Amino acid sequence: MNKTVIFLLDGEVIEGSPGKTILEAAEDAGKYIPRLCAYKGLAPHGSCRVCTVLVNGRPQASCIQPIADGIVVESESAEVRELRRGVIEMLFVEGNHFCMCCEKSGNCELQALAYRFGITAPRYPYLFPKREVDATHPYILLDRNRCIQCGRCVRASRDVDGKNVFQFGGRGAGKRIAVNAAGGLGKTDAAVIDQAIEVCPVGAILRKRVGFRVPVGKRKFDHQPIGSDIEGKAGPTAV
Amino acid sequence: MNANQGSKRIVIEPVTRVEGHGKVTIQLDEQHRVTQARLHIVEFRGFERFIQGRPFWEVPVLVQRLCGICPVSHHLAAAKAVDRLVGADELTPTATKLRLLMHHGQFLQSHALHFFHLCSPDLLFGFDSDVAQRNVIGVAGRYPELAKQGVLLRKFGQEIIQATAGKKIHGTGAIPGGVNKNLSPAERDLFLGQMDQILGWSRSALGLAREYTLDNLERLAPFGSFDSNHLSIVRSDGAYGIYDGLLRARDAAGKLIFDQVDNQEYDRYIAEEVRSWSYMKFPFIRSIGPELGWYRVGPLARVNNCDFFDTPEAERERQGFMELTQGKPNNLTMAYHWARMIEMLHSAEKIQELLHDSDLQGEDLVVEGERREEAVGIIEAPRGTLFHHYRINENDQITMANLIVSTTSNNEAMNQAVRKVAEDTLDGVPEVTEGMLNGIEVAIRAYDPCLSCATHALGQMPLRVELVDMDGNVVDSLQKG
């Protein structure tokens, strides 16, 4: 029953428990696979595709793909890194991400991934979409300019907070994060302590009036690249 | 330079060794007389419009992107305004002194940059010297020790900024109601160890500016000079102040126009005029009107306006400076350099004084009070008085922003200087040389303009393109906005 699943990750033999995803099993082995929509404790979503790996040569989102005996997974090959890099660049051009004056800078997972991948400028043209800021809540700011539509807030609000404050609205390129009140976030039962507020990887959902209270040098990714905590479990890994 | 038969139009574009982009146009008639001389600002920024809708606590970090030379000025002016929005009327001693240290660090680096990198080639080699040598590389070749001092003075100032704001450029240190860090003993000791050298270099730079002005007084006194009003903040005790103070304006003879004006009431005393040919507005003192109410800001105005410096060496130097004009305001454009170097020495003295203050290691960083929806923050930037005025809605979003940037206040003064030098050196001269045109730039440079900071025309960006034939007739035109 407790049979161990054995597979190859970048040529290395990895053992994992049945039912685990590739991303989870890799993490247990001290291997970091970049991700944005995936978040520990939330149901996997498979939407951002940053965690794409090649499974027996086919691209798969590792956050939703269970491990299986004998599969051959490529995560750090040049081809996979290039795929991920393209996805990250698209996320930047699809929103309005101005890191230089964003209070999430230094704590932002999207920015941290760009640093990890050495992205200095995206190869695609900026779309500069018109996005709305919802500042109606007295303690929470929703800035859709920076939303990457990872759905973490949707899942956290529904599954952890039990509130359904956030949901997606619209279709295709017009898809946006929406709130379940016509009068904006201030008319919902969102609270500043909700997990939905905590899990946002970018500066889209923020606690108001916190701003830049954490000085440069003490922010999450000021000294360690994103993923270092996972890689650290298996000893120091050069990035 | 482009010329028609008869009348002639000279264009200096871009104006060099200043921050940002601008151009000068000089119109000459058939007898080579100057009929018009103007400094045009050709950039457009739009910060006042695009920060609308942003949360107010973001503003001190956002608006400092106006500039890469003295972002601390915008950072602190905006922070002072947002302090009032959160009801923080009096910050903790640690927060106030940290910000003051940051600001003096900026004065030191900005003034050093201007004096050594941008202006010293004119002063050391002459306005009409070989253009290939008249630059900072030329200075480094001929006066290597001086160039090194300029670079290291600037480095020291930048490192003070990094220690207080988190980064050398575009930091985050000032937050609504205070600061986000203090100064560690290790950082303090690192700076204290360099103070003797920094003070020594500041003294010698001041000596150079002073001696240059006095040795060349006969030539410099009329150069681009004119009478004007002078505006700055001064502390409530009349002392020179750059971070906190009340507005004071004097006329050219030294008579007070207004004094001890509360920052929040600035718009009852200052108004702005828009002219069709420049993206930069023209501020003026309301009680005098737009024609004669323009004023100068910056080092010259500050030294003219204050009653005293609260550091011994700068005060002694101020007294020497004022002796030249028998205690009346000094209206010499080229005296800006001397005044600027007095300020740099004062900043070095204040940095030393602050580093010995244990409040910088305090832990009490932020205060809050009763929220407001409108606030003004005024400080002295290296280039002059800087006004930030914001209104917010009930959701904490900016609904109105008005920025009167130092260089904007000096707009009319720089135009006066350009006109004066053009008339004095080009009028009736058949052959205009590069050195003569550099003289016009020398006068502009004395104001240390930051043209990129100063362009804040409201509304749509108007753009008009004209196609002009050889005789100056407009053949076609296109207008946008």
Side-chain angles (χ1 to χ4, degrees), chain A residues 100-101 103 133 135-136 141 143 145-146 208-209 211-216, chain B residues 54-55 57-58 61-62 65 166-167 172 175 180-181 366 368 395-397:
Chain A
M100 76 291 277
C101 47
E103 63 195 82
V133 175
T136 54
L141 181 81
D143 186 349
N145 288 292
R146 301 166 180 160
K208 278 187 166 184
R209 292 177 290 279
F212 297 87
R213 281 192 182 226
V214 179
V216 175
Chain B
R54 300 308 309 168
W57 56 87
E58 200 175 85
V61 171
L62 202 167
R65 291 278 166 174
K167 290 162 68 183
T172 63
I175 59 174
N180 65 13
K181 75 183 289 289
V366 181
E368 275 185 28
N395 293 329
D396 298 332
Q397 293 168 289

Side-chain angles (χ1 to χ4, degrees), chain B residues 254-273:
Chain B
K255 188 167 157 257
L256 285 172
I257 301 167
F258 54 74
D259 194 13
Q260 301 291 302
V261 168
D262 188 321
N263 290 188
Q264 306 308 310
E265 298 191 352
Y266 81 100
D267 55 356
R268 288 180 52 204
Y269 295 83
I270 306 287
E272 293 176 279
E273 186 188 25

Side-chain angles (χ1 to χ4, degrees), chain B residues 35-48:
Chain B
T35 55
Q36 188 189 70
R38 283 173 171 170
L39 169 65
H40 304 253
I41 310 305
V42 293
E43 289 183 80
F44 176 78
R45 305 299 297 278
F47 272 73
E48 286 163 325

Side-chain angles (χ1 to χ4, degrees), chain B residues 21-193:
Chain B
H21 299 276
K23 70 172 180 179
V24 169
T25 60
I26 301 159
Q27 202 74 43
L28 303 171
D29 68 10
E30 289 171 2
Q31 281 74 47
H32 306 289
R33 280 192 301 258
V34 175
T35 55
Q36 188 189 70
R38 283 173 171 170
L39 169 65
H40 304 253
I41 310 305
V42 293
E43 289 183 80
F44 176 78
R45 305 299 297 278
F47 272 73
E48 286 163 325
R49 178 64 188 86
F50 69 65
I51 66 167
Q52 288 176 19
R54 300 308 309 168
F56 72 79
W57 56 87
E58 200 175 85
V59 166
V61 171
L62 202 167
V63 291
Q64 67 176 337
R65 291 278 166 174
L66 271 163
C67 191
I69 300 298
C70 71
V72 169
S73 306
H74 293 288
H75 185 53
L76 291 180
K80 283 188 71 182
V82 297
D83 288 344
R84 285 188 63 82
L85 294 178
V86 299
D89 291 346
E90 191 171 347
L91 305 192
T92 67
T94 300
T96 302
K97 289 171 185 175
L98 243 296
R99 287 187 185 184
L100 200 53
L101 180 63
M102 189 194 304
H103 203 20
H104 279 296
Q106 173 192 232
F107 260 67
L108 193 82
Q109 71 84 10
S110 178
H111 279 4
L113 171 75
H114 180 257
F115 186 71
F116 290 95
H117 297 64
L118 304 183
C119 284
S120 72
D122 296 322
L123 312 187
L124 295 169
F125 300 125
F127 302 176
D128 54 358
S129 59
D130 177 12
V131 69
Q133 187 188 35
R134 206 175 55 217
N135 52 57
V136 70
I137 303 298
V139 173
R142 180 93 170 269
Y143 305 96
E145 180 56 27
L146 191 74
K148 190 184 91 180
Q149 290 176 12
V151 169
L152 294 179
L153 272 166
R154 180 146 198 262
K155 177 171 180 273
F156 181 81
Q158 293 283 43
E159 284 171 351
I160 291 273
I161 295 170
Q162 183 173 31
T164 49
K167 290 162 68 183
K168 287 179 180 166
I169 306 171
H170 302 137
T172 63
I175 59 174
V179 292
N180 65 13
K181 75 183 289 289
N182 63 11
L183 190 76
S184 72
E187 289 168 322
R188 176 199 61 198
D189 294 344
L190 195 67
F191 293 129
L192 275 173

Side-chain angles (χ1 to χ4, degrees), chain B residues 424-439:
Chain B
D424 288 353
T425 58
L426 306 183
D427 222 36
V429 175
E431 191 72 26
V432 176
T433 65
E434 188 277 336
M436 289 177 187
L437 295 182
N438 185 51

Side-chain angles (χ1 to χ4, degrees), chain B residues 80 96 100 233-236 241-246 263 378-379:
Chain B
K80 283 188 71 182
T96 302
L100 200 53
I233 59 170
V234 291
R235 283 189 346 204
S236 55
I242 57 171
Y243 172 69
D244 214 4
L246 300 158
N263 290 188
I378 301 180
I379 62 156

